[in-house]
């Protein structure tokens, strides 16, 4: 079990009606690292995420998570194994408070989910842990705010807190900084850095300064294929990456 | 919310454009249902200028654009565009006056394919970009013309949303965070495009989080906070105002 | 730096529970004294049955976000089975009820497995289709006696002691049944399960990504709702002493939606108020002759156009309470 | 109970908004009022009120209204009640509360068979009678091979079975039948099957819109022109009127009343149509409400007051023979069945008709004693074999 | 029952005729659902109004069948537009449920009013002289009128499909369904377009009503039960899919025809069995777009 790589894909391929969005991708994510997946628009990053979490069925290839082949599992089962994703468009339960948002995740983890004959006050025992998690992501003051009323950046943080509540081993973050102001970007970046001590993180991000400062290793995807892999400094020197992704003006 | 409020005339005065204004917004207030979002926005844009609205998440930038476009339920104040009073006009009229709007959430239509999405907005003036010009700008689109609009990747949808209004020939463009979710190489292209449009006499009102991007293009900046314009300066004054700006934006 | 949420930030639970408690006690007290007031008890009993039905429906739509357009099938099925059990098999009333409820439960499991796999409008349509199928079956099978229905169902003695042909006794038995059902629903809504259900309604994709097998939760909600609707159907047989095709027709399903909507979707007490309002209307507008359907239609229209939260919903909204 | 008084309350429970609104509905209310007026009791110091309500064809609503009427409005007699489901439900309540059901609109012969009560009188018609009258009269007229288009539920089956039995008994043959779901809009498939059977008579064992649509489409497919006869087993004047003679000509059907039978029926019908909003001629259901109530009031008068005891009044109604301008002389049997003759009519051609409502010509009469189910076959508990 | 080829072909043809009505009705329903996101429960009622309109045009104004084919749908369409302008309009952006309930209420009102004034048994309407009689096809006697119904319905269906799926106007319509605000911000008068679309959908139903007047009795409740079947057609075809509705409409007519022949007792329920099966296999209907 103590595999060096928590997640591996072999020949992962996804074809949409004649269009190959992901082609023969071999991805290896080292346990405990922050791994970034970058690439031009339409390269297949989100599709990859969808494949890994089984929101899409691969056309070909295998996915191995923690030494176990998860290619055939259902999305909810993947989540139960500790591989949890966030969405490119922020996903919270809008008319639940921040606290309740987190509690829903804790409840999944710790049972009672089907108990329709019990009072929901049995869930109060999760409140302590929920507050802790909100504290962790700097949302203590929002505990009783409905998620829909929170500022955009804070929703992102809430989403992360909810994910953490599942006590995952690995998190997939799809453009966590998209649409955020500088202030929030810094906050979330710090948060990611902090949690990466405990979890493996695979993320997609177009904000290069974030990618540069956070990631241990970067995979560049173009047209569904892996173009290059390495650390930030190496990749910025790679002519192919510059042409396909960074653009001439960069550097 | 008294913090940071400035007299409107003071702000506008500091950055009044040289020629007559194409767009004048005065004391604009706007509501979403019960919640009062804009508390008296005043600014103007001269023909041929690129003006950028800056501000934190939730400051009211998008709401300002939507109010100008006429798609906010309740708004008061004066909005003059090209010598027409459009504060109470319906959005289809405003559009036909030559205002093009590229919304933050992109608004790609799922029931239309990429080509139909692209061809959807009627041409309001001659002089818009031709299809060939658009495909040179965004080669991805050409490749995916037949596929369903929302099947495009996040970034591709953003390209489509921009391309769509460039076709219409509207001379005044409002772009809400056009670079969000785009790869650096595309952002640079969009930057070049905006510069070219400007040189051809287009007027552009930009909302941007990506300050570095905006600073290479804009003639003037306004800073929005809590639904008010709290500061404004020309690009030439940028360096002098850098500290202030940092504190506004929390960089 | 608090954002623009100040002022609009609502406290989560707080006093909501208190309000609901007061309302519940008020409702129970009002209902308990009905036989002493001279209000026509038969009407109230009918109202109670439909109120329970609407509450069960509301559990599914108001809290689970699933619009069933075929809920009459539970009402009708349990009605036919109970009526048959009481009249033909001669079972005592308590077993008659049990038979009806079990039938509804079985039906909800079978139809639920099929319907729950689809969402939104497709769910509504598939439940409608299933209910129509069942309607045609009941129309043709001999035990339902076609358009004549099962008539003259004996009420009997409950547990061998409570003589249900005595109006007051029947009334309190029905009231007891209603309160039991109501409390089960109330508890389900405010249970750990209810919380998950709410989150699924809010954002199903997200719930899945948290590891919830959402179909199972929706199925459980559907079964609960169907079974309780069946309970309402069995009680109704004891009150009306007949079971007929109107109870399985799709217009009945429409009426259930109407009751819930008029009272207030997603409110605890709304369906009760709505059910009584509609039943009263049908009974007392009957004297208007031809205009009944027109008036009923007009109420639909007015409700949707101006009263979208329903009676209880509007009140709760006005006082910023949860009811 | 010797607490007799001279107050009477009549409740007309009918279908004011649905399928039966034309054959019963508002007209039944008018008929009830005319019966009260014509009884002459008001002049003798009686107070007689008529109230009405729409049961919307729902047993729940029907029983709810019936209970309320009896318990709070002190209604003595509930009249009309078209729709068998509602009628049977009300039948039970009336018995429980010892009031009277005077049914005219419902066709179920159950009302005087297994479900008969000492409190119910079934006046105008029932499915057994329709089947027998039409079946036997048509076989007699040469229609000896039949094909049935049957509504696929209880009353349709009953109509078909009863008719088939009569046809066979009279020496005819049944060549086939097809069971059609209720509320079918298109009958062409079935009509083609009927056409292919080459039967001389196509029996329509259905009702309401199903019947009118099947007749209309039969005309379109040239069925009557092709020499086959159509027999509507459950049809009313209002149906024929709404079809128009172009389409309905040549159709055979049974009724127990037609407005244009004699001077008395014509006089009544004229007054009736003047009082009715739509100015339609009365159907047999309307006539039954009128005649039945007239007889009821006669019984009350004979009792010397209203004892508010349903069974007692019904017993009196059975005791004195019926005699009214619309149905003529007759009786009410022990099982509650009112006995009067049944008529087989043929719908006129447009050329034969002299006016909007001149629709039928009489082709046969079945005496009352032959038209209805004989007591010897009855399963009514009141009948002692 | 031995299979008789002649009878079978007759049944197939008859099924096709019914299919024409299903197709026309479900087409209108699909147009309205596709474009306005409203499940138009009043569709049966406007179908009925179309038939009544034809009746009045003939009996009150002496306007015959052929003009009525145009005039009645236009009149009813205008009525629909008024309904849209005064009521349905206020529901944009709300859940489907509200549109469904509002139109359900409207259907009750319309049917109730008609029933009040014209009774329940209905009014006669004759087949126009030009279309009287029938053709002997060898295996069956085909009334000319029925042939006309098939032709007319096919033409109208294809024209509508072309309008919506292949023209620019159609693209506007589809886009406006998803995001009316944005389409409007592109300079298109969306409210007017929506009103016209509702008018079109309602007009199609009214046309079906006129076509059916000579075949079915013109009754206030003629559309009340039909509507449920038509819903099923639309769902099977894929909500909002124009072609799906047309094809399913015709196909269902034929399947129903076959059922009427082989197992008539089930001919009413076969639609619903099919619907359940289709939805289980293909959740969005036969040609439904993913949402
Ligand atoms: N369901 C689908 N059907 C057809 N094509 C699809 C589908 N989903 C994605 N695609 C196509 O696959 C390609 C990869 O899309 P994907 O969303 O994975 O890109 P991405 O790398 O996440 O891009 P971005 O950075 O712009 O978000 C795109 O060209 C897109 O158009
Ligand atoms: N539909 C809505 N209903 C209610 N409030 C809204 C709505 N849309 C936005 N708001 C609120 O209005 C305020 C201003 O929003 P706006 O979208 O204009 O901000 P912005 O400056 O564009 O921010 P961002 O950088 O996140 O795009 C925010 O507080 C937001 O929560
Ligand atoms: Mg992506
Ligand atoms: Mg914005």
């Amino acid at each position: 079990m103590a595999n060096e790589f928590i997640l591996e894909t072999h020949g992962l391929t996804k074809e949409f009606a004649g269009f190959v969005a992901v082609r023969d991708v071999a991805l290896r994510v080292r346990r405990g690292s922050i791994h970034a997946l970058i690439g031009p628009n339409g390269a297949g990053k989100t599709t990859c995420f969808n494949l890994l979490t089984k929101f899409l069925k691969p056309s070909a290839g295998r996915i191995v998570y923690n030494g176990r082949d998860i290619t055939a599992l259902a999305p909810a089962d993947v989540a139960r194994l500790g591989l949890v994703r966030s969405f490119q468009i922020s996903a919270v339960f809008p008319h639940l408070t921040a606290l309740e948002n987190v509690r829903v995740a804790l409840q999944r983890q710790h049972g009672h989910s089907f108990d329709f004959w019990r009072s929901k006050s049995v869930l109060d025992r999760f409140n302590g842990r929920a507050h802790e998690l909100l504290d962790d992501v700097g949302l203590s003051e929002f505990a009783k705010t409905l998620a829909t009323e929170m500022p955009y950046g804070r929703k992102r943080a809430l989403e992360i807190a909810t994910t953490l509540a599942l006590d995952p081993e690995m998190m997939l973050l799809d453009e966590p900084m998209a649409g955020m102001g500088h202030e929030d970007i810094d906050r979330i970046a710090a948060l990611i850095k902090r949690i990466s001590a405990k979890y493996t993180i695979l993320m997609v991000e177009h904000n290069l300064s974030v990618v540069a400062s956070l990631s241990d290793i970067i995979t560049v995807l173009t047209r569904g294929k892996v173009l290059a892999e390495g650390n930030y400094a190496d990749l910025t020197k790679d002519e192919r990456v510059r042409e396909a992704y960074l653009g001439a003006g960069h550097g | 919310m008294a913090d940071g409020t400035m007299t409107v005339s003071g702000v506008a005065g500091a950055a009044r454009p040289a020629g007559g204004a194409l767009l004048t917004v005065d004391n604009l207030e706007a509501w979403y249902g019960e919640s009062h979002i804009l508390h008296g926005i005043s600014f103007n844009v001269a023909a041929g200028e690129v003006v950028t609205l800056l501000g934190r998440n939730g400051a009211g930038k998008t709401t300002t654009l939507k109010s100008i476009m006429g798609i906010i339920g309740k708004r008061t104040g004066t909005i003059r565009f090209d010598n027409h009073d459009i504060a109470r006009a319906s959005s289809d009229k405003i559009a036909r006056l030559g205002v093009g709007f590229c919304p933050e959430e992109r608004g790609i239509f799922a029931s239309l394919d990429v080509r139909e999405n692209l061809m959807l907005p009627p041409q309001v003036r001659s002089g818009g970009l031709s299809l060939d010009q658009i495909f040179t700008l965004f080669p991805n689109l050409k490749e995916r013309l037949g596929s369903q609009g929302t099947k495009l990747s996040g970034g591709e949808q953003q390209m489509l949303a921009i391309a769509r209004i460039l076709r219409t020939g509207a001379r005044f463009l409002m772009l809400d965070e056009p670079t969000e979710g785009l790869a650096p190489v595309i952002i640079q292209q969009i930057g070049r495009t905006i510069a070219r449009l400007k040189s051809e006499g287009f007027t552009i009102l930009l909302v941007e989080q990506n300050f570095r991007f905006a600073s290479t293009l804009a003639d003037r900046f306004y800073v929005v906070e809590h639904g008010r314009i709290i500061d404004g300066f020309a690009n030439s004054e940028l360096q002098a105002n850098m500290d202030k700006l940092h504190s506004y934006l929390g960089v | 730096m608090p954002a623009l949420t100040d002022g609009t930030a609502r406290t989560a639970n707080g006093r909501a529970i208190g309000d609901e408690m007061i309302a519940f006690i008020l409702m129970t007290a009002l209902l308990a004294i009905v036989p002493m007031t001279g209000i026509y008890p038969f009407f109230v009993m009918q109202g109670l049955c439909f109120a329970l039905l609407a509450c069960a429906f509301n559990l599914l739509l108001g809290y689970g976000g699933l619009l069933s357009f075929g809920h009459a099938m539970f009402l009708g099925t349990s009605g036919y089975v109970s009526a048959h059990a009481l009249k033909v098999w001669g079972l005592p009333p308590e077993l008659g009820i049990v038979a009806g409820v079990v039938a509804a439960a079985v039906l909800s499991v079978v139809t639920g497995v099929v319907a729950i796999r689809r969402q939104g409008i497709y769910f509504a349509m598939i439940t409608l289709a299933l209910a129509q199928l069942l309607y045609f079956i009941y129309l043709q099978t001999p035990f339902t006696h076609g358009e004549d229905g099962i008539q003259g169902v004996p009420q009997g003695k409950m547990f061998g002691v409570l003589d249900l042909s005595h109006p007051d006794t029947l009334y309190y038995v029905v009231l007891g049944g209603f309160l039991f059902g109501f409390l089960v629903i109330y508890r389900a809504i405010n249970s750990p399960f209810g919380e998950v259900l709410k989150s699924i309604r809010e954002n199903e994709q997200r719930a899945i990504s948290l590891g919830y097998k959402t179909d199972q939760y929706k199925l459980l909600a559907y079964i609960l709702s169907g079974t309780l609707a069946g309970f309402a159907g069995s009680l109704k047989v004891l009150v009306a002493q007949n079971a007929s095709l109107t109870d399985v027709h799709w217009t009945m399903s429409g009426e259930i939606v109407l009751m819930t909507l008029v009272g207030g979707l997603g409110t605890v007490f709304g369906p009760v108020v709505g059910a009584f309002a509609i039943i009263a209307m049908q009974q007392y507008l009957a004297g208007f002759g031809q205009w009944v359907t027109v008036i009923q239609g007009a109420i639909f229209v007015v409700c949707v156009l101006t009263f979208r939260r329903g009676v209880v919903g509007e009140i709760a909204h006005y006082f910023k309470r949860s009811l | 109970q010797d607490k007799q008084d001279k107050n009477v309350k009549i409740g007309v429970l009918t279908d004011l908004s649905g399928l039966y609104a034309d054959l019963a509905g508002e007209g039944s209310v008018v008929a009830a009022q005319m019966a009260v007026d014509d009884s002459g009791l008001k002049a003798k110091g009686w107070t007689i009120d008529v109230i009405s309500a729409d049961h919307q064809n729902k047993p729940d609503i029907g029983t709810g209204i019936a209970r309320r009427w009896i318990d709070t409005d002190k209604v003595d007699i509930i009249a009309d009640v078209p729709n068998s489901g509602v009628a049977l439900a009300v039948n039970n309540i009336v018995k429980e509360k010892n009031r009277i059901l005077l049914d005219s609109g419902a066709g179920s012969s159950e009302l005087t068979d297994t479900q008969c009560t000492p409190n119910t009188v079934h006046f105008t018609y029932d499915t057994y009678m329709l089947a027998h009258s039409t079946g036997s009269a048509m076989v007699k007229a040469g229609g000896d091979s039949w094909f049935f288009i049957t509504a696929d539920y209880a009353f349709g089956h009953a109509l078909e079975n009863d008719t088939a039995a009569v046809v066979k008994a009279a020496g005819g043959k049944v060549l086939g039948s097809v069971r059609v779901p209720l509320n079918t809009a298109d009958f062409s498939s079935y009509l083609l099957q009927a056409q292919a059977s080459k039967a001389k008579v196509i029996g329509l064992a259905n009702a309401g819109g199903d019947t009118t649509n099947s007749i209309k489409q039969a005309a379109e497919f040239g069925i009557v022109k092709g020499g086959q006869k159509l027999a509507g087993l459950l049809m009313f004047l209002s149906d024929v009127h709404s079809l128009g003679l172009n389409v309905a000509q040549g159709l055979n059907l049974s009724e127990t009343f037609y407005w244009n039978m004699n001077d008395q029926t014509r006089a009544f019908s004229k007054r009736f149509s003047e009082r009715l909003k739509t100015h339609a001629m009365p159907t047999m259901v309307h006539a039954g409400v009128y005649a039945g109530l007239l007889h009821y009031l006669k019984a009350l008068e004979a009792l010397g007051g209203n004892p508010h005891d349903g069974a007692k009044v019904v017993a009196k109604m059975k005791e004195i023979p019926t005699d009214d301008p619309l149905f003529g002389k007759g009786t009410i049997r022990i099982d509650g069945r009112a006995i009067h003759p049944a008529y087989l009519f043929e719908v006129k051609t447009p050329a034969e008709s002299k006016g909007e409502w001149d629709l039928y010509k009489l082709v046969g009469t079945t005496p009352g004693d032959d038209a209805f189910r004989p007591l010897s076959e009855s399963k009514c508990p009141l009948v002692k074999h | 029952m031995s299979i008789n080829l002649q009878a079978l072909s007759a049944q197939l043809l008859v099924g096709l005729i019914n299919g024409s009505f299903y197709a026309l009705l479900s087409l209108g329903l699909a147009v309205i659902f596709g474009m306005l996101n409203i499940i138009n429960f009043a569709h049966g009622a406007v179908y009925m109004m179309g038939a009544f309109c034809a009746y009045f045009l003939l009996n009150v104004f002496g306007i015959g069948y052929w003009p009525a084919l145009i005039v009645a749908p236009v009149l009813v369409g205008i009525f629909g537009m008024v309904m849209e302008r005064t009521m349905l309009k206020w529901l944009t952006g709300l859940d489907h449920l509200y549109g469904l309930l509002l139109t359900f209420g409207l259907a009750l009102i319309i049917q109730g009013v008609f029933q009040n004034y014209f009774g329940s048994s209905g009014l006669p309407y004759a087949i126009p002289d030009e279309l009287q009689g029938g053709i002997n096809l060898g295996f069956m006697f085909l009334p000319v009128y029925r042939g006309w119904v098939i032709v007319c319905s096919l033409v109208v269906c294809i024209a509508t499909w072309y309008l919506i799926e292949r023209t620019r106007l159609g693209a506007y319509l589809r886009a406006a369904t998803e995001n009316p605000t944005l389409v409007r911000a592109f300079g298109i008068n969306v409210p007017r377009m929506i009103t016209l679309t509702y008018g079109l959908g309602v007009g199609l139903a009214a046309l079906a009503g006129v076509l059916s007047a000579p075949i079915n009795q013109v009754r206030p409740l003629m559309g009340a039960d039909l509507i449920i079947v038509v819903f099923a057609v639309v769902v099977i075809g894929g909500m909002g899919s124009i072609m799906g509705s047309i094809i399913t409409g015709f196909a269902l007519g034929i399947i129903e025809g076959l059922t009427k022949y082989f197992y008539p007792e089930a001919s009413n329920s076969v639609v619903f069995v099919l619907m359940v099966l289709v939805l289980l296999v293909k959740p969005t209907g036969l040609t439904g777009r993913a949402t």
Side-chain angles (χ1 to χ4, degrees), chain D residues 240-241 245 259 278-281 353-359:
Chain D
V240 175
H241 178 254
L245 293 181
W259 68 273
T278 58
H279 299 299
M281 283 295 170
S353 167
K354 289 200 268 306
E356 187 189 353
W357 289 93
D358 183 18
L359 301 172

Side-chain angles (χ1 to χ4, degrees), chain E residues 12 15 44 74 84 98 161-162 164 189 222 261 265 274 287:
Chain E
L12 282 176
V74 168
E84 198 280 334
Y98 293 104
W161 169 82
Y162 186 84
I164 287 178
N189 190 337
M222 64 192 282
Y261 185 66
E265 286 88 343
L274 262 179
T287 58

